[in-house]
Amino acid sequence: MAASAAEHASFLPPILTFCAAAVIAVPLFRKLGLGAVLGYLIAGIVIGPSVMGLVGEAENVRGVAELGVVLLLFIIGLELKISNLFAMRRDIFGLGLAQIVITCALVATVAALLGHSARGMIVTGLALSLSATAIALQVLEERHDLATRYGQRTFSILLFQDLSIVPILALVPLLANTEALGSGQALAGAAGASARAFAAVALVVIVGRYLLNPLFRLLAASGGREVMTAAALLVVLGAAMLMEQVGLSMAMGAFLAGVLLAESNFRHQLEADIEPFRGLLLGLFFMSVGMSLDANYVRQNALLLLVLAPALVIGKSLIAAALARGFGSSWPDALRIGALLAPAGEFSFVLVPLGGEVGLLTGERVQVITALAALTMLLGPLLAKFIESRLAQRPTGEEPAPDDLPAGEAGGSVIVIGFGRFGQVVNQVLLANGADVTVIDRNIDSIRSAARFGFKVYYGDGTRLDVLRAAGAGSANLVCVCVDDAAAALKIAEIVHAEFPRARTFVRAIDRPHAIALMNREVDFQLRETFESALQFGRATLEELGVDAEAARLVTEDVRRRDIARLVLQRSDGLLGGQDLLHGAKVKPEPLTPPKRKAAGLSAETRDLVADAEARP
């Protein structure tokens, strides 16, 4: 038992070390304006084996931490529709292919000049031509620029790089045996690998298209929030593992699963459930990269690395910027794209050791390229920060225009929470005027009914901050709270005011006390659900009794004005405030009068209590 307890306790020091490093480094680097990515990288170097040695075996840590990249790609996939992905095909297959080919050729040329073999320089060029998906997307997320034209173009290039991982990984072993490169056996092996990959993709597409939505509907109906979270992780990690088994990247599998669920009613809830895991694991990934940097080796080869690392970062940046400019980006956007693609990619740490294992690279060169890749991950964010600060000083103040591709409904100007009888009418009015509306509800029956009539309603709990954020509350102009739960409406209003001050709050009130409570929380507009309909009902009744239509309207307006005045008085004086404003009811206080009958207990115990009270003087 003691040994078991000690074994469990052994996991705590590394976890505490990672948490402490993140808590110290990330806020500090954010305050310095350098971003969270650089903070994680530096924290990893400091706690790693080559500096303080608080945590060893960076490779073991990275095996878990790479799940952060997987979850990040899943969330990105949720924000893209297949139609939007098709619209990006020119940037993905045109700009993405050009970037890899040209960068690989130039890096390979430099590697040849430094003495690499013909096959070794190809591996080096391919490894260093890739870019760090996690770093680029994290920077875009921090800037809130993923939805801009340059953000979408950057993502297109990164997506093509992820797609290219499969043939690159297949090419490296073939390069080690050039005689087999053109043989029938090699071609048959490549065809078999392609068939397995195609079958895996088809399986993910079929499951995502026909099985996932019914599964999530069933789980949501059960009401278990933790089960929904487990199901979300099951989908992401299951797709990632399947793709890894057939030679594709895990990130590619997660991205495909996200794209297939982009049209799902559960999209926002899934994003909210995955987000906490994504943030923690992605930070751990960056720290593991920092831990892998051998400070002693860097010191021993400082001159070579101090020349190669800046040269690689600047060279990759210029190549990507020139290509982006050639594909129609403005120069400011092209420079932003180039800076984001400058760091070497996460797969450099896979390709380079693989090249060493099959004999294409010597052990010394594996160390040089690995250290070079890690250093570019440190220098890349600094270059991106420098370029962004210089562009911000431009007198023209050119801002990247928003694209039509990114977050779909999540970027809507109005969020309607609740799709019951009240919310449906509100939604009709908004849609009739062409408003961009995102509707969320946690009632599966309401969502299913809405789908039958062609409405798009997302599953989500509006009282959760993470769900509101995933639904786009941060960019919404207005949040309409149409739920029939008074406590939930109050909670949503409080969350929106505290976390999304830009958004105005229009809230459905259940009754008079609820309306006063909403006024005390300073919502922008509240309306009792039955008040206006009752006024119209009363007006129609007066007209049926023979009252002139204009006179009936004036009476209705008078009741409305008095009611508003009463609400104001009741807010300050309590529910009895403004009683004199009611038509036909005057409350007169009466003096206290003694009871006409003596108190009588309803049980033996209460009769004893009453007798004791009467016996007292």
Side-chain angles (χ1 to χ4, degrees):
M1 183 67 70
S4 177
E7 184 179 345
H8 286 300
S10 67
F11 288 100
L12 289 178
I15 293 173
L16 293 175
T17 301
F18 283 122
C19 292
V23 167
I24 294 171
V26 173
L28 176 62
F29 276 76
R30 281 185 181 274
K31 189 173 182 63
L32 295 174
L34 298 176
V37 172
L38 201 58
Y40 283 122
L41 292 170
I42 297 297
I45 293 174
V46 172
I47 67 175
S50 61
V51 181
M52 296 182 67
L54 299 177
V55 180
E57 301 296 332
E59 292 301 321
N60 294 339
V61 174
R62 190 179 302 154
V64 176
E66 284 179 355
L67 294 178
V69 183
V70 170
L71 298 180
L72 174 64
L73 265 293
F74 175 72
I75 290 178
I76 297 300
L78 283 177
E79 296 179 349
L80 285 172
K81 298 178 181 178
I82 294 179
S83 58
N84 292 339
L85 202 60
F86 181 76
M88 296 163 61
R89 63 191 183 279
R90 178 173 177 269
D91 287 336
I92 295 173
F93 297 102
L95 184 54
L97 177 62
Q99 185 271 333
I100 283 188
V101 170
I102 295 175
T103 305
C104 178
L106 292 178
V107 172
T109 301
V110 174
L113 296 176
L114 294 175
H116 284 232
S117 66
R119 289 174 291 176
M121 71 181 191
I122 294 176
V123 174
T124 303
L126 289 171
L128 296 180
S129 65
L130 301 175
S131 301
T133 300
I135 291 179
L137 293 182
Q138 182 74 7
V139 172
L140 286 170
E141 191 175 79
E142 289 178 359
R143 295 178 183 174
H144 305 289
D145 280 355
L146 187 59
T148 60
R149 288 194 178 96
Y150 92 88
Q152 290 291 299
R153 185 152 279 175
T154 302
F155 177 72
S156 298
I157 298 172
L158 294 170
L159 181 57
F160 181 82
Q161 291 182 3
D162 283 336
L163 290 170
S164 68
I165 290 299
V166 180
I168 290 175
L169 288 174
L171 177 64
V172 172
L174 292 177
L175 286 174
N177 186 2
T178 51
E179 291 79 9
L181 188 60
S183 69
Q185 184 179 0
L187 293 176
S194 298
R196 288 193 298 273
F198 180 80
V201 170
L203 177 62
V204 172
V205 170
I206 292 172
V207 171
R209 178 69 178 84
Y210 297 105
L211 299 181
L212 288 186
N213 271 322
L215 170 65
F216 285 121
R217 275 197 298 270
L218 179 64
L219 295 177
S222 70
R225 173 182 167 182
E226 69 284 352
V227 177
M228 288 287 290
T229 303
L233 289 172
L234 176 65
V235 169
V236 180
L237 300 181
M241 188 180 73
L242 176 63
M243 292 300 166
E244 186 184 38
Q245 292 297 316
V246 298
L248 294 168
S249 70
M250 289 196 299
M252 190 63 219
F255 174 76
L256 180 59
V259 170
L260 291 172
L261 288 169
E263 300 278 4
S264 169
N265 299 102
F266 303 92
R267 167 183 146 193
H268 299 312
Q269 185 77 28
L270 289 171
E271 183 176 347
D273 287 337
I274 290 294
E275 180 63 28
F277 300 98
R278 193 274 307 177
L280 287 173
L281 290 174
L282 197 58
L284 184 60
F285 170 79
F286 291 130
M287 281 196 278
S288 71
V289 171
M291 290 168 58
S292 67
L293 186 63
D294 189 340
N296 294 325
Y297 184 83
V298 171
R299 282 194 296 269
Q300 294 168 6
N301 299 271
L303 182 60
L304 176 64
L305 293 173
L306 287 176
V307 171
L308 291 180
L312 179 62
V313 167
I314 294 173
K316 287 184 68 177
S317 178
L318 291 176
I319 292 170
L323 289 172
R325 178 62 177 161
F327 272 72
S329 293
S330 63
W331 270 118
D333 280 0
L335 292 173
R336 290 184 175 101
I337 293 170
L340 290 174
L341 297 176
E346 301 88 357
F347 281 99
S348 300
F349 301 100
V350 176
L351 287 174
V352 175
L354 179 61
E357 290 174 9
V358 299
L360 298 178
L361 296 170
T362 64
E364 176 72 15
R365 284 174 177 157
V366 168
Q367 281 190 308
V368 171
I369 299 170
T370 302
L372 183 59
L375 285 175
T376 62
M377 289 186 170
L378 287 173
L379 297 178
L382 291 174
L383 177 63
K385 175 66 179 176
F386 173 75
I387 288 179
E388 189 63 28
S389 63
R390 298 295 296 176
L391 292 175
Q393 297 173 6
R394 287 166 53 90
T396 55
E398 181 178 353
E399 292 291 334
D403 205 350
D404 295 331
L405 301 179
E409 293 85 356
S413 60
V414 181
I415 296 177
V416 175
I417 303 173
F419 199 69
R421 52 192 173 83
F422 190 94
Q424 291 171 21
V425 177
V426 172
N427 191 53
Q428 281 292 291
V429 174
L430 294 172
L431 293 179
N433 198 49
D436 191 4
V437 185
T438 298
V439 184
I440 60 177
D441 196 292
R442 61 179 180 179
N443 186 300
I444 290 298
D445 293 332
S446 296
I447 294 173
R448 189 181 291 112
S449 298
R452 285 201 295 266
F453 288 96
F455 295 111
K456 186 68 173 180
V457 180
Y458 293 100
Y459 176 83
D461 184 351
T463 62
R464 287 176 54 184
L465 172 60
D466 49 2
V467 171
L468 292 175
R469 185 175 284 119
S475 59
N477 297 323
L478 193 65
V479 176
C480 296
V481 184
C482 303
V483 298
D484 59 0
D485 184 332
L490 292 173
K491 184 176 181 180
I492 295 170
E494 291 171 351
I495 292 174
V496 173
H497 283 174
E499 301 293 335
F500 312 107
R502 177 179 177 270
R504 303 182 68 197
T505 48
F506 279 35
V507 188
R508 165 194 184 181
I510 305 302
D511 51 26
R512 199 169 199 85
H514 187 214
I516 296 170
L518 291 170
M519 292 170 66
N520 289 332
R521 284 161 176 77
E522 298 183 349
V523 300
D524 295 290
F525 178 78
Q526 57 77 29
L527 181 69
R528 301 194 303 285
E529 58 182 354
T530 58
F531 181 67
E532 286 295 330
S533 58
L535 285 179
Q536 295 304 316
F537 192 97
R539 177 177 174 179
T541 304
L542 287 178
E543 293 178 4
E544 183 64 23
L545 292 173
V547 178
D548 179 69
E550 179 61 18
R553 185 189 68 80
L554 292 175
V555 169
T556 303
E557 289 298 321
D558 178 63
V559 173
R560 182 183 287 110
R561 284 193 301 269
R562 286 170 175 264
D563 184 82
I564 295 173
R566 279 185 63 214
L567 276 176
V568 174
L569 290 173
Q570 287 175 318
R571 182 182 182 185
S572 58
D573 301 339
L575 287 177
L576 293 180
Q579 292 285 354
D580 57 327
L581 294 173
L582 287 170
H583 284 287
K586 299 296 181 183
V587 178
K588 296 180 180 180
E590 297 181 359
L592 292 175
T593 57
K596 297 179 180 179
R597 293 187 303 172
K598 289 185 177 182
L602 298 179
S603 65
E605 293 80 6
T606 55
R607 281 194 292 271
D608 291 340
L609 291 173
V610 170
D612 290 342
E614 290 177 345
R616 291 173 186 169

